[in-house]
Amino acid sequence: FDNVDRVVHSDDSNRLDVIGSELTPYEVGEVNEKLYREGNAHDKIVVLGVDSVQRYSFQKLRPGVWLNDEVIHAYFVLLQKRENNRTCRTNRSHFFKSFFLTLLFDEGKTNSYKYNNVKSWSKQVQGQDIFGLDKIIFACNVDGLHWTCVVIFMKEKRIQYYCSTGGDGSKYTKGLLKYLKDEWRTKKGGDLPDESRWKIVGFTNEVPIQHNGYDCGVFTCMFADFLSMNSPLTFNQQHITNTCRQRIALSLLKGEIV
């Protein structure tokens, strides 16, 4: 693997300033009311089209709790909303929930690569052509125990795994390169152009590391957030603990990334 540290040129150098800033007292009250108020565990606290976050899921944003798929998928929906609202129509990103990789690798069934399981998913992409994108960002649920992020940098011809515990994710990066080959062959015909130029990158020193056993989902949300804006991964465990959980919660309540 090409374990090379990479300098990222940021479109928004202030993203860390926003993520790392404390909520206002009013915002803290708004978030805490939903985080700690008792009620029916299955009440929908957040509704985003066909996606929703139930009370028991939302309250996993309390400190020290492992996030589940409802929270992470809802945050990815908001990241896609932010992306779609950008005025610049070039260098677009698309976000796939963890279901994509679960289906691609037929997890829980044959546990083998199955392109046909996701063959139609590119229809969700603007223009229905993944090769016109700048980045494709995937949430990845590893064995139902750990959250990570995988990114295809289409123009740079690189597939990189972002894991807050230092994993290299070769199953996912190699599988996604195979997916690109199959997608090109199916949708455009022939072999993937410049196939030999594609790089597979596992863990690099640029990736922030978690210092506990439960914050991987928060790190995954931040990886997707920062990378989609070309912002360097300058956040750390302190940011995750002090402000990121609250900012995810506030974003979900407001229906937009804050």
Side-chain angles (χ1 to χ4, degrees):
F1 299 116
D2 290 317
N3 284 328
V4 291
D5 289 329
R6 172 170 160 266
V7 176
V8 183
H9 299 285
S10 175
D11 287 340
D12 185 355
S13 60
N14 295 320
R15 186 58 184 151
L16 181 64
D17 294 339
V18 174
I19 286 292
S21 63
E22 294 183 357
L23 273 59
T24 67
Y26 177 81
E27 290 170 336
V28 170
E30 185 180 6
V31 166
N32 285 346
E33 194 274 335
K34 298 298 185 184
L35 283 180
Y36 296 100
R37 183 176 181 180
E38 296 182 0
N40 188 315
H42 299 290
D43 284 347
K44 294 181 178 180
I45 303 301
V46 176
V47 178
L48 301 168
V50 298
D51 292 273
S52 62
V53 181
Q54 299 173 83
R55 186 185 304 277
Y56 80 93
S57 296
F58 189 86
Q59 292 184 342
K60 292 181 183 297
L61 284 163
R62 294 174 180 176
V65 185
W66 191 83
L67 300 188
N68 69 2
D69 56 351
E70 284 192 356
V71 172
I72 291 173
H73 291 170
Y75 197 73
F76 269 53
V77 168
L78 295 184
L79 289 172
Q80 189 66 63
K81 177 181 176 181
R82 180 179 71 184
E83 185 70 18
N84 293 344
N85 288 339
R86 288 176 52 214
T87 55
C88 178
R89 307 310 296 175
T90 59
N91 298 325
R92 310 295 293 178
S93 295
H94 189 83
F95 299 83
F96 280 123
K97 303 171 189 175
S98 64
F99 301 139
F100 182 96
L101 292 176
T102 298
L103 288 170
L104 182 65
F105 295 102
D106 207 30
E107 294 175 349
K109 296 180 181 178
T110 65
N111 294 316
S112 60
Y113 175 89
K114 299 283 187 182
Y115 169 71
N116 283 338
N117 285 355
V118 296
K119 181 178 178 180
S120 65
W121 279 54
S122 58
K123 293 179 180 179
Q124 301 177 23
V125 174
Q126 186 176 26
Q128 300 186 4
D129 182 9
I130 64 170
F131 298 100
L133 295 168
D134 181 42
K135 303 180 193 72
I136 310 175
I137 301 174
F138 303 85
C140 179
N141 188 339
V142 183
D143 299 325
L145 299 171
H146 181 52
W147 289 103
T148 65
C149 183
V150 196
V151 183
I152 298 176
F153 296 89
M154 196 68 70
K155 295 180 180 179
E156 298 176 26
K157 293 181 169 55
R158 186 176 78 258
I159 305 174
Q160 187 160 349
Y161 190 68
Y162 294 86
C163 174
S164 55
T165 59
D168 76 357
S170 59
K171 165 187 170 181
Y172 300 103
T173 51
K174 289 180 178 180
L176 284 172
L177 180 56
K178 188 174 181 180
Y179 164 73
L180 291 179
K181 296 176 186 178
D182 286 338
E183 182 75 1
W184 185 276
R185 185 178 300 109
T186 301
K187 306 296 172 63
K188 296 179 179 292
D191 295 332
L192 180 68
D194 300 320
E195 179 183 329
S196 63
R197 293 178 56 195
W198 278 87
K199 295 181 179 180
I200 299 294
V201 182
F203 179 74
T204 69
N205 291 333
E206 74 173 13
V207 179
I209 294 296
Q210 68 186 83
H211 297 161
N212 55 51
Y214 46 78
D215 273 334
C216 55
V218 187
F219 274 87
T220 292
C221 289
M222 292 300 104
F223 292 150
D225 189 331
F226 277 60
L227 291 167
S228 67
M229 300 187 74
N230 295 324
S231 295
L233 301 179
T234 48
F235 61 89
N236 56 36
Q237 180 67 63
Q238 185 175 356
H239 297 114
I240 295 292
T241 300
N242 292 345
T243 60
C244 290
R245 282 179 177 267
Q246 286 189 321
R247 288 222 160 260
I248 292 172
L250 184 64
S251 295
L252 297 182
L253 292 176
K254 290 187 173 296
E256 60 183 3
I257 299 295
V258 297

